[in-house]
């Protein structure tokens, strides 16, 4: 998976280092061209020494454990006009599945998108996911098939933040649609204490397609959203 480092890094870094939310800095990276020096400057000065070789989600595409948002650096916690449902569940990281005793979990990642960085989010996808200690595979839910009239498969990783501890880290997720050769690439940073467990951004064909926020629900919704038909049985 190849990320355009000139595009990915400024979005995250500007929000963190300026103290602004994504919606406040949206004008900066809503264009097709992002200033090269911004991405290079921050990357060289703050990230070059922190990369950890084991935390990679593609050949050569590694983001180190230090490459994430620290406590208090949530970049959208105040941007929501509503809060996630009370029955959400924390995304499984390294805990055992109480139903099976193993490390494989089944659930649904509910993703909302603010395409123009205005602070107004709309329902985007309900991704069926199977996750283990680090790896994620996914597929469309019945909702997605109806909403987008298509199917997709997804693969990715959860990479923990070894510096700030539990509750921090990020999901890197690729979605490949049935009738499209281009892929959608999502980065969802996790942080503790926010209205949504994950917030981030999405790219399609290397172009920024908006801010994301997401929460997770477990096995019950895996069944309810039709995931056993699209991604496989839980047992």
């Amino acid at each position: 998976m190849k990320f355009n480092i000139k595009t990915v890094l400024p979005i995250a870094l500007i929000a963190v280092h300026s103290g602004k939310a994504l919606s406040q800095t949206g004008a900066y990276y809503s264009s097709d061209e992002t200033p090269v020096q911004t991405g290079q400057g921050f990357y060289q000065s703050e990230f070059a020494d922190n990369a950890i070789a084991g935390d990679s989600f593609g050949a050569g595409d590694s983001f180190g454990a230090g490459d994430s948002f620290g406590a208090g650096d949530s970049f959208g916690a105040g941007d929501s006009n509503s809060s996630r449902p009370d029955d959400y569940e924390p995304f499984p990281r390294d805990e055992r599945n109480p139903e099976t005793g193993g490390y494989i979990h089944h659930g649904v990642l509910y993703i909302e998108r603010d395409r123009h960085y205005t602070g107004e989010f709309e329902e985007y996808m309900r991704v069926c996911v199977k996750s283990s200690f680090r790896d994620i595979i996914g597929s469309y839910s019945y909702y997605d098939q109806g909403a987008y009239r298509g199917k997709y498969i997804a693969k990715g990783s959860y990479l923990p933040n070894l510096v700030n501890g539990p509750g921090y880290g990020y999901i890197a997720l690729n979605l490949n649609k049935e009738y499209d050769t281009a892929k959608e690439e999502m980065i969802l940073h996790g942080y503790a204490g926010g209205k949504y467990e994950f917030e981030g951004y999405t790219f399609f064909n290397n172009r920024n397609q908006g801010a994301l926020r997401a929460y997770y629900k477990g096995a019950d919704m895996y069944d309810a959203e039709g995931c056993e038909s699209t991604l496989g049985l839980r047992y």
Side-chain angles (χ1 to χ4, degrees):
M1 176 173 66
K2 295 296 182 184
F3 282 94
N4 183 345
I5 203 72
K6 299 174 187 176
T7 308
V8 175
L9 285 176
I11 296 173
L13 292 171
I14 290 168
V16 171
H17 288 276
S18 68
K20 294 181 179 180
L22 280 176
S23 60
Q24 295 173 288
T25 51
Y28 179 87
Y29 34 77
S30 59
S31 64
D32 292 339
E33 293 294 329
T34 302
V36 176
Q37 66 273 17
T38 305
Q40 291 177 338
F42 277 122
Y43 178 77
Q44 291 171 355
S45 64
E46 303 198 14
F47 285 97
D49 296 332
N50 293 327
I52 293 180
D55 286 347
S56 61
F57 52 86
D61 294 331
S62 58
F63 283 66
D67 298 354
S68 54
F69 298 98
D73 286 338
S74 57
F75 53 90
D79 294 341
S80 307
N81 293 323
S82 60
S83 59
R84 61 190 173 190
D86 293 335
D87 60 346
Y88 82 96
E89 301 175 28
F91 186 82
R93 293 172 170 86
D94 58 359
E95 65 268 27
R96 289 183 180 272
N97 184 333
E99 292 184 339
T100 65
Y103 290 100
I104 295 178
H105 296 260
H106 301 76
V108 179
L109 197 60
Y110 290 83
I111 302 175
E112 300 174 4
R113 182 173 68 160
D114 172 11
R115 183 164 187 172
H116 302 291
Y117 293 93
T118 61
E120 298 293 330
F121 286 83
E122 296 180 349
E123 185 167 17
Y124 186 40
M125 289 184 175
R126 303 176 186 178
V127 183
C128 301
V129 294
K130 289 182 181 179
S131 60
S132 64
F133 181 58
R134 293 285 181 91
D135 297 319
I136 300 168
I137 60 172
S139 186
Y140 60 96
S141 61
Y142 285 162
Y143 169 85
D144 289 347
Q145 185 177 9
Y148 302 106
R149 297 181 182 177
K151 303 174 183 179
Y152 63 81
I153 59 173
K155 62 179 181 178
S157 299
Y158 172 79
L159 290 96
N161 181 327
L162 302 180
V163 176
N164 294 316
Y168 295 91
Y170 66 92
I171 291 174
L173 196 64
N174 279 350
L175 284 79
N176 294 272
K177 297 183 179 180
E178 184 177 19
Y179 297 111
D180 201 329
T181 57
K183 64 183 177 183
E184 183 168 4
E185 301 168 322
M186 297 180 178
I187 295 290
L188 295 168
H189 286 272
Y191 61 94
K195 290 182 179 180
Y196 282 73
E197 184 177 11
F198 294 97
E199 297 200 14
Y201 32 88
T202 184
F203 298 87
F204 186 77
N205 200 22
N206 292 322
R207 295 196 175 197
N208 188 298
Q209 295 296 308
L212 300 177
R213 65 187 186 187
Y215 58 89
Y216 175 85
K217 291 186 179 182
D220 288 345
M221 296 313 297
Y222 186 90
D223 295 342
E225 298 287 1
C227 299
E228 285 197 329
S229 296
T230 65
L231 189 56
L233 299 176
R234 292 196 288 129
Y235 301 103

